[in-house]
Amino acid sequence: MKKLLSMLLASALAVSMLAGCGSTNEANTGADNGDATQSETKVYKVCNLVNGTLGDKSFFDSAEAGLNKLQEDGRIEYNTIEMGGTTEDQAKWQSTLDEVSRSGEYDLIVCGTYQMPDYLKNVAEQFPDQKYLIYDDTTYELPNVANLSYAQNDLGYLVGVYAGAMTTETSVEGINEDAVIGFVGGVDSPVINDFLYGLILGAQSSNPDIKIDTRYVNSYVDPAKAKELAESMINDKHCDIIWGVAGNSGNGAAEAALETGKAYFIGVDSDQELTFSPELAAITLTSGLKNIGNSLVWFFDEWDAGKEHFGEHTLLGMKEGGIGMVTDKNYDSKTPDAVKEKVNAAIEGISSGDIVVPTAIGNETDEVQQLRESVKP
């Protein structure tokens, strides 16, 4: 009897263990499938079209840095195609856009600058299922295109507050007695003049009597011409601080500041002090940051969170990290405390909304042009 009872108990235990194992395996299988689904993060295939060349140390390099960060983090795989920025190169822009769009291999095609919207519109309408992103442009609103723009007017205001105050600080070596600063723009266009609008107003807030020499290269890939313009600003108008907002061309203005030994340079888009040679870095006081790379990371953060911005114009300002200014290195060591206080007040004012800077984008009046003429040295 005892033997029979023992056998029955053993059998019951075995059945119980088998049932338990079956339940555990089924539960684990379900959990594994769920975890796999939850951990699967889409790796996007991206094509980055550069209507110029990398190495501009500002605009295109900033975008490239953001895409490179996304790839290093395992979020995208991307291919950059440098299409060139000369007049002759422009013939390739449309054909390259057509080719990569027709391939169907990319989840997103990225391009930028004011020169690309017409080319992009052609392909976006032809390939409605292809997703595109254009940074620094708001020309068209198309359902499959995300437009990212930046508050460069606010950025210009910050740089203006700084340059307008610094040019009066004659205790700083290399600053002369004339309150004159320079602006070397790529092209006389709304985006470039948005920088300029803010620059003039910011400089005037620091010094109502400030003079600003504005000249345009009419190219983003002609540093020799920018150097020539900057040399004239320095030698003829006594500019001691020049802001280059001209892509690769702007580097020529930095060279003029260095070679004359009579002026400082301010960079744009990325921290140009980090990318310049030691000699050019030494005369670069700061850089106004249009954080294109950061904005591309922000875009994919939004996309992964289910927030698509296709068919929208999205303006990124100081609150969103779209713009900023370098405040370490040369800025920190060369800038008097009184000037830093003015810049910090401007940052706080713009962030809080207490300072509202008008924009040249969509402004059909000639306010910017009139203001530009009124401050000529």
Side-chain angles (χ1 to χ4, degrees), residues 150-330:
Y150 310 86
Q152 59 261 329
N153 54 329
D154 289 346
L155 176 55
Y157 189 89
L158 287 183
V159 173
V161 168
Y162 177 67
M166 276 294 286
T167 191
T168 64
E169 294 287 341
T170 54
S171 62
V172 176
E173 183 180 359
I175 298 296
N176 61 51
E177 294 183 355
D178 296 324
V180 183
I181 60 177
F183 179 86
V184 174
V187 175
D188 188 351
S189 65
V191 168
I192 296 300
N193 288 333
D194 212 25
F195 286 98
L196 177 64
Y197 206 172
L199 176 77
I200 296 173
L201 295 175
Q204 287 180 325
S205 76
S206 288
N207 178 5
D209 299 321
I210 192 75
K211 296 298 181 183
I212 301 173
D213 190 354
T214 298
R215 310 196 193 189
Y216 302 94
V217 185
N218 293 319
S219 170
Y220 291 95
V221 289
D222 191 352
K225 178 63 175 180
K227 182 178 180 181
E228 177 186 331
L229 296 177
E231 286 174 342
S232 175
M233 290 178 169
I234 295 166
N235 293 324
D236 301 334
K237 303 299 181 180
H238 302 161
C239 290
D240 49 21
I241 298 174
I242 294 177
W243 191 20
V245 184
N248 189 47
S249 294
N251 299 335
E255 292 173 4
L258 173 64
E259 292 180 12
T260 61
K262 296 186 288 188
Y264 289 101
F265 181 73
I266 294 177
V268 73
D269 295 334
S270 62
D271 185 351
Q272 293 194 249
E273 189 180 341
L274 291 177
T275 58
F276 275 154
S277 67
E279 294 79 14
L280 287 175
I283 53 94
T284 302
L285 291 173
T286 183
S287 292
L289 302 175
K290 184 182 282 192
N291 295 321
I292 294 166
N294 289 354
S295 74
L296 296 180
V297 174
W298 171 88
F299 177 83
F300 280 96
D301 288 344
E302 293 280 286
W303 202 358
D304 283 338
K307 301 174 185 176
E308 295 190 1
H309 293 277
F310 299 104
E312 299 177 6
H313 292 164
T314 304
L315 177 66
L316 302 174
M318 194 164 297
K319 282 185 178 179
E320 298 82 13
I323 63 165
M325 200 168 103
V326 174
T327 57
D328 59 4
K329 301 184 292 300
N330 283 343

Side-chain angles (χ1 to χ4, degrees), residues 28-41:
N28 284 344
T29 301
D32 287 346
N33 286 340
D35 290 345
T37 300
Q38 293 173 5
S39 64
E40 283 180 2
T41 301

